Short mmCIF file of all heavy atoms in Angstrom, two decimals:
data_model
loop_
_atom_site.label_atom_id
_atom_site.label_comp_id
_atom_site.label_asym_id
_atom_site.label_seq_id
_atom_site.Cartn_x
_atom_site.Cartn_y
_atom_site.Cartn_z
N ILE B 293 103.90 140.13 86.36
CA ILE B 293 103.57 139.28 87.51
C ILE B 293 102.26 139.75 88.13
O ILE B 293 102.11 140.95 88.44
CB ILE B 293 104.72 139.30 88.54
CG1 ILE B 293 105.96 138.64 87.94
CG2 ILE B 293 104.31 138.59 89.84
CD1 ILE B 293 107.20 138.72 88.81
N ARG B 294 101.29 138.83 88.26
CA ARG B 294 99.96 139.23 88.70
C ARG B 294 99.78 139.22 90.22
O ARG B 294 98.83 139.78 90.73
CB ARG B 294 98.90 138.30 88.06
CG ARG B 294 98.83 138.39 86.56
CD ARG B 294 98.49 139.81 86.11
NE ARG B 294 97.28 140.32 86.75
CZ ARG B 294 96.05 140.15 86.29
NH1 ARG B 294 95.86 139.52 85.17
NH2 ARG B 294 95.02 140.64 86.94
N ASN B 295 100.65 138.52 90.91
CA ASN B 295 100.50 138.49 92.37
C ASN B 295 101.67 139.23 93.01
O ASN B 295 102.83 138.79 92.92
CB ASN B 295 100.50 137.04 92.87
CG ASN B 295 99.31 136.25 92.37
OD1 ASN B 295 98.21 136.40 92.88
ND2 ASN B 295 99.54 135.44 91.34
N GLN B 296 101.36 140.38 93.58
CA GLN B 296 102.38 141.15 94.29
C GLN B 296 101.80 141.52 95.65
O GLN B 296 100.78 142.21 95.73
CB GLN B 296 102.78 142.39 93.51
CG GLN B 296 104.27 142.48 93.37
CD GLN B 296 104.74 143.59 92.47
OE1 GLN B 296 104.29 144.72 92.61
NE2 GLN B 296 105.66 143.28 91.58
N LEU B 297 102.44 141.04 96.72
CA LEU B 297 101.86 141.18 98.06
C LEU B 297 102.87 141.82 98.99
O LEU B 297 104.07 141.55 98.89
CB LEU B 297 101.47 139.80 98.61
CG LEU B 297 100.68 138.87 97.67
CD1 LEU B 297 100.66 137.46 98.24
CD2 LEU B 297 99.26 139.38 97.48
N LYS B 298 102.36 142.62 99.91
CA LYS B 298 103.25 143.21 100.91
C LYS B 298 103.05 142.50 102.24
O LYS B 298 101.90 142.25 102.64
CB LYS B 298 102.95 144.71 101.07
CG LYS B 298 103.98 145.43 101.94
CD LYS B 298 103.91 146.94 101.83
CE LYS B 298 102.71 147.47 102.60
NZ LYS B 298 102.71 148.95 102.67
N GLY B 299 104.13 142.16 102.92
CA GLY B 299 103.99 141.46 104.19
C GLY B 299 105.12 141.79 105.15
O GLY B 299 106.01 142.59 104.83
N ILE B 300 105.07 141.15 106.30
CA ILE B 300 106.09 141.35 107.34
C ILE B 300 106.82 140.03 107.57
O ILE B 300 106.19 138.97 107.72
CB ILE B 300 105.41 141.76 108.68
CG1 ILE B 300 104.55 143.02 108.51
CG2 ILE B 300 106.47 141.95 109.79
CD1 ILE B 300 105.33 144.30 108.31
N VAL B 301 108.14 140.10 107.57
CA VAL B 301 108.93 138.88 107.80
C VAL B 301 108.72 138.42 109.25
O VAL B 301 108.91 139.20 110.19
CB VAL B 301 110.44 139.14 107.54
CG1 VAL B 301 111.26 137.89 107.89
CG2 VAL B 301 110.66 139.55 106.10
N THR B 302 108.32 137.17 109.42
CA THR B 302 108.07 136.65 110.78
C THR B 302 109.15 135.67 111.23
O THR B 302 109.35 135.49 112.42
CB THR B 302 106.69 135.95 110.86
OG1 THR B 302 106.65 134.93 109.87
CG2 THR B 302 105.56 136.94 110.67
N ASP B 303 109.82 135.05 110.28
CA ASP B 303 110.85 134.09 110.69
C ASP B 303 111.85 133.87 109.55
O ASP B 303 111.48 133.97 108.37
CB ASP B 303 110.21 132.75 111.08
CG ASP B 303 111.06 131.98 112.09
OD1 ASP B 303 112.16 132.47 112.44
OD2 ASP B 303 110.62 130.91 112.53
N ILE B 304 113.08 133.58 109.93
CA ILE B 304 114.13 133.28 108.94
C ILE B 304 114.84 132.01 109.42
O ILE B 304 115.35 131.98 110.55
CB ILE B 304 115.14 134.43 108.83
CG1 ILE B 304 114.41 135.71 108.36
CG2 ILE B 304 116.28 134.09 107.89
CD1 ILE B 304 115.23 136.97 108.51
N ILE B 305 114.82 130.97 108.62
CA ILE B 305 115.39 129.69 109.05
C ILE B 305 116.43 129.25 108.02
O ILE B 305 116.13 129.14 106.83
CB ILE B 305 114.29 128.60 109.16
CG1 ILE B 305 113.15 129.09 110.07
CG2 ILE B 305 114.86 127.29 109.70
CD1 ILE B 305 111.85 128.35 109.85
N LEU B 306 117.63 128.99 108.53
CA LEU B 306 118.71 128.52 107.65
C LEU B 306 118.65 127.00 107.58
O LEU B 306 118.75 126.32 108.61
CB LEU B 306 120.07 128.97 108.21
CG LEU B 306 121.28 128.66 107.35
CD1 LEU B 306 121.30 129.50 106.09
CD2 LEU B 306 122.56 128.91 108.15
N ILE B 307 118.40 126.46 106.39
CA ILE B 307 118.37 125.00 106.23
C ILE B 307 119.36 124.63 105.13
O ILE B 307 119.13 124.90 103.95
CB ILE B 307 116.95 124.49 105.86
CG1 ILE B 307 115.97 124.86 106.98
CG2 ILE B 307 116.96 122.98 105.63
CD1 ILE B 307 114.54 124.49 106.70
N GLY B 308 120.48 124.06 105.56
CA GLY B 308 121.53 123.71 104.59
C GLY B 308 122.01 124.95 103.87
O GLY B 308 122.25 125.99 104.49
N PRO B 309 122.11 124.88 102.53
CA PRO B 309 122.62 126.03 101.79
C PRO B 309 121.53 127.05 101.44
O PRO B 309 121.77 127.97 100.67
CB PRO B 309 123.16 125.38 100.51
CG PRO B 309 122.31 124.18 100.33
CD PRO B 309 121.85 123.73 101.68
N THR B 310 120.34 126.87 101.95
CA THR B 310 119.24 127.78 101.60
C THR B 310 118.64 128.42 102.85
O THR B 310 118.88 127.98 103.97
CB THR B 310 118.10 127.03 100.87
OG1 THR B 310 117.65 125.98 101.72
CG2 THR B 310 118.55 126.47 99.55
N VAL B 311 117.86 129.47 102.60
CA VAL B 311 117.21 130.17 103.71
C VAL B 311 115.71 130.19 103.44
O VAL B 311 115.26 130.51 102.34
CB VAL B 311 117.71 131.63 103.81
CG1 VAL B 311 117.02 132.35 104.98
CG2 VAL B 311 119.21 131.67 103.98
N TRP B 312 114.95 129.77 104.46
CA TRP B 312 113.50 129.83 104.35
C TRP B 312 113.04 131.10 105.05
O TRP B 312 113.39 131.35 106.21
CB TRP B 312 112.85 128.62 105.03
CG TRP B 312 113.04 127.36 104.23
CD1 TRP B 312 114.18 126.63 104.13
CD2 TRP B 312 112.06 126.71 103.43
NE1 TRP B 312 113.98 125.54 103.30
CE2 TRP B 312 112.68 125.57 102.85
CE3 TRP B 312 110.73 126.96 103.12
CZ2 TRP B 312 112.02 124.70 102.00
CZ3 TRP B 312 110.06 126.10 102.28
CH2 TRP B 312 110.70 124.97 101.71
N VAL B 313 112.24 131.87 104.34
CA VAL B 313 111.74 133.13 104.91
C VAL B 313 110.22 133.02 105.03
O VAL B 313 109.53 132.70 104.05
CB VAL B 313 112.12 134.32 104.00
CG1 VAL B 313 111.61 135.63 104.61
CG2 VAL B 313 113.62 134.37 103.80
N GLU B 314 109.71 133.27 106.24
CA GLU B 314 108.26 133.25 106.44
C GLU B 314 107.76 134.68 106.53
O GLU B 314 108.32 135.51 107.27
CB GLU B 314 107.92 132.49 107.73
CG GLU B 314 108.16 131.00 107.61
CD GLU B 314 107.68 130.21 108.83
OE1 GLU B 314 107.02 130.80 109.71
OE2 GLU B 314 107.98 129.01 108.87
N VAL B 315 106.70 134.93 105.77
CA VAL B 315 106.18 136.30 105.68
C VAL B 315 104.68 136.28 105.95
O VAL B 315 103.95 135.46 105.37
CB VAL B 315 106.44 136.90 104.27
CG1 VAL B 315 105.88 138.31 104.17
CG2 VAL B 315 107.92 136.87 103.96
N ASP B 316 104.25 137.17 106.85
CA ASP B 316 102.82 137.28 107.13
C ASP B 316 102.20 138.32 106.20
O ASP B 316 102.63 139.47 106.17
CB ASP B 316 102.62 137.69 108.60
CG ASP B 316 101.14 137.80 108.94
OD1 ASP B 316 100.53 136.76 109.22
OD2 ASP B 316 100.60 138.93 108.88
N VAL B 317 101.22 137.86 105.40
CA VAL B 317 100.51 138.77 104.49
C VAL B 317 99.05 138.81 104.91
O VAL B 317 98.30 137.83 104.70
CB VAL B 317 100.62 138.29 103.03
CG1 VAL B 317 99.88 139.24 102.09
CG2 VAL B 317 102.07 138.15 102.60
#
Side-chain angles (χ1 to χ4, degrees):
Chain B
I293 293 174
R294 297 300 307 272
N295 295 283
Q296 231 173 48
L297 312 167
K298 188 166 76 172
I300 304 288
V301 176
T302 56
D303 207 358
I304 299 167
I305 306 159
L306 185 69
I307 299 177
T310 58
V311 181
W312 287 75
V313 181
E314 289 187 8
V315 179
D316 180 82
V317 180

